[in-house]
């Protein structure tokens, strides 16, 4: 006798996933813009320039990674425009 095992995986909710991805993109965009804006100010301080550039590059890569994921899913959005992020 053969038994079928049914694993009860929750269904993949595309709308929830897309909303979370959209929120992550907006947050990454804000972090990238903040890093770019503060980069200039930090060069005047005692912080190592390589560290400043590395943090800005990391924020940029995270933002563009999320944009690529959204593009692969066929999502539409306004992520390339500037926005005000609430603190």
């Amino acid at each position: 006798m053969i038994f079928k095992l049914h694993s009860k995986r929750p269904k993949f909710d595309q709308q929830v996933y897309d909303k979370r991805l959209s929120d992550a993109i907006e947050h990454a965009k804000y972090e990238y813009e903040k890093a770019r804006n503060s980069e200039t100010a930090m060069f005047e301080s005692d912080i190592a320039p390589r560290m400043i550039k590395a943090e800005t590059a990391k924020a940029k890569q995270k933002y563009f990674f999320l944009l690529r994921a959204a593009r692969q899913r066929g999502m539409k959005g306004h992520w390339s425009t500037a926005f005000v992020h609430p603190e």
Side-chain angles (χ1 to χ4, degrees), residues 10-29:
K11 289 195 173 196
F12 180 72
D13 191 348
Q14 290 182 356
Q15 291 178 341
V16 172
Y17 183 83
D18 289 349
K19 173 71 173 128
R20 291 180 72 192
L21 181 57
S22 179
D23 291 344
I25 289 171
E26 288 181 8
H27 181 73
K29 171 71 173 171

Side-chain angles (χ1 to χ4, degrees), residues 62-78:
K62 182 178 180 180
Y63 173 59
F64 284 112
F65 173 80
L66 292 170
L67 283 177
R68 279 190 301 273
R71 188 180 320 146
Q72 288 174 350
R73 292 188 53 74
M75 293 174 58
K76 304 283 184 204
H78 56 79

